Amino acid sequence: MMPKPVLLWPDPATIIEQFRGVFFAHWEELLRLRRVAIRTSGQDDIHDLRVASRRFRAALELFYPFTPKGQKTELRKSIRGLTRILGGLRNIDEALIFFQSRARVDASADKKFIFTLSEMRARELKLIDKALIAFDHTQLDRIVREMVAGLNEDSIRKRNGTSLLAYFSDVSIRQYLPIHRLLAGSTSPEHRLARHALRIAIKKWRYFFEIISQVLDRDYTHIQDLLKEYQTLLGQMNDIAVFRVLISKLKLPSKERKYVKSILLSEDVLLLEKFTTLIERKPLVYTFLM
């Protein structure tokens, strides 16, 4: 049996060039989806833009230490604000899908509840349209291009003092540590905040691997798929918490409010059982191919 060939890392110049390319590609995709969302106001287009904004933020955080101080803070703040304004619509849409799938046949209360959510969605969509138009893409595009142009071996050596490979390895370890810490008690029913923090940490690590797989030409499909499975389930659990907050803002009859809360409670218990099974069958351990 022939030994498995050693997969060599790209040389430093190639890694830098691919890092720049991946970062800028995420930015161009965000701008493209913004234009599409303004033109269509479509549900899928707006949600795609929200995901693109999260992916760009992940790339920006990796890129951030190697760029000079200045307007990059403005870029970070603007993209975070964009993600936030798009999140409200996403929560309402998920609530509509969830409760429509559980609506009772010919129940007028259910129809009124869904109608109330639909009205809320229309108001949220108007806010998003204004935010997308006000988004200063021209100024931010200049900042991104300056950041990309300024990334080279000298800037890395000056601001980090180590190689990109060592930097990526360090980031991976630091992103896994909170996951390791939070996993232990995450299956306890009362530890909702821990599961919320765990979901965010897992999402960040998953985006990290998405970026690194392109920069380093490595296959991280296995860990990415596992992280996506964890993130999806934890996201569904977080949705239940979001739905509770959403319902608290609506004027509902006592009977209807009680019914909705019972649905959420049952779903919460079911999802926690699934999450516990996932941890037992597919434990999440550290990995980073070097």
Side-chain angles (χ1 to χ4, degrees):
M1 182 177 179
M2 294 290 293
K4 189 175 181 179
V6 176
L7 186 60
L8 299 177
W9 292 106
D11 61 80
T14 300
I15 293 176
I16 292 173
E17 188 60 32
Q18 292 184 166
F19 193 19
R20 294 169 61 181
V22 170
F23 178 66
F24 193 67
H26 278 295
W27 173 244
E28 288 191 309
E29 178 66 0
L30 185 151
L31 293 183
R32 183 188 72 80
L33 288 169
R34 171 186 170 271
R35 292 192 296 270
V36 172
I38 290 175
R39 186 174 67 251
T40 68
S41 293
Q43 174 180 328
D44 290 341
D45 294 328
I46 291 174
H47 295 332
D48 287 347
L49 174 59
R50 178 174 174 271
V51 173
S53 73
R54 287 193 176 281
R55 286 196 165 103
F56 177 72
R57 283 171 60 189
L60 176 60
E61 291 308 309
L62 268 183
F63 213 82
Y64 208 81
F66 305 108
T67 55
K69 295 179 180 179
Q71 292 177 310
K72 67 179 182 180
T73 304
E74 177 187 345
L75 175 63
R76 175 192 266 173
K77 182 179 179 181
S78 296
I79 303 303
R80 186 185 295 120
L82 178 64
T83 306
R84 188 182 302 114
I85 193 69
L86 298 174
L89 184 71
R90 182 265 176 199
N91 292 337
I92 294 171
D93 283 340
E94 290 299 320
L96 280 167
I97 293 170
F98 179 84
F99 287 108
Q100 284 173 340
S101 68
R102 290 158 177 78
R104 297 159 294 183
V105 178
D106 297 327
S108 59
D110 285 351
K111 293 178 181 178
K112 289 179 181 178
F113 176 54
I114 291 172
F115 178 73
T116 302
L117 286 175
S118 298
E119 285 186 319
M120 185 183 290
R121 186 186 192 279
R123 293 193 296 271
E124 198 69 32
L125 190 57
K126 289 180 181 179
L127 293 175
I128 288 174
D129 287 340
K130 290 180 180 179
L132 292 182
I133 292 172
F135 185 75
D136 192 358
H137 61 95
T138 302
Q139 167 69 0
L140 297 178
D141 185 65
R142 182 184 64 78
I143 295 172
V144 170
R145 290 176 183 274
E146 288 179 357
M147 290 173 67
V148 171
L151 182 69
N152 51 50
E153 290 190 56
D154 287 340
S155 65
I156 292 172
R157 191 162 42 246
K158 182 188 301 182
R159 296 186 172 85
N160 192 261
T162 186
S163 69
L164 275 179
L165 280 177
Y167 167 68
F168 292 150
S169 178
D170 179 63
V171 170
S172 183
I173 291 170
R174 284 189 283 110
Q175 289 192 345
Y176 175 74
L177 286 177
I179 295 173
H180 176 72
R181 176 176 54 83
L182 291 164
L183 272 171
S186 61
T187 56
S188 298
E190 66 274 12
H191 288 175
R192 298 181 187 278
L193 291 179
R195 287 191 290 275
H196 175 68
L198 178 62
R199 176 183 63 86
I200 294 173
I202 285 175
K203 177 172 58 181
K204 288 181 178 179
W205 205 31
R206 179 188 166 206
Y207 285 159
F208 167 80
F209 280 115
E210 284 187 359
I211 297 166
I212 294 305
S213 65
Q214 299 174 67
V215 174
L216 300 180
D217 291 326
R218 286 294 191 273
D219 184 5
Y220 291 109
T221 302
H222 174 71
I223 184 64
Q224 286 176 255
D225 289 346
L226 182 57
L227 289 171
K228 183 177 181 180
E229 191 172 354
Y230 269 81
Q231 183 185 335
T232 298
L233 191 48
L234 286 164
Q236 292 170 345
M237 299 174 81
N238 185 67
D239 283 342
I240 300 301
V242 171
F243 297 163
R244 286 196 178 98
V245 174
L246 204 59
I247 290 166
S248 69
K249 299 177 181 178
L250 302 178
K251 295 181 179 179
L252 296 175
S254 177
K255 185 177 180 180
E256 183 63 16
R257 187 177 297 278
K258 184 178 180 180
Y259 171 70
V260 170
K261 285 184 176 180
S262 69
I263 291 178
L264 295 179
L265 179 60
S266 298
E267 187 70 13
D268 207 18
V269 171
L270 178 62
L271 290 172
L272 185 57
E273 290 176 356
K274 290 182 177 179
F275 179 61
T276 302
T277 300
L278 176 62
I279 290 179
E280 292 172 349
R281 294 183 177 178
K282 300 179 181 180
L284 191 54
V285 297
Y286 183 77
T287 183
F288 184 67
L289 298 179
M290 287 295 289

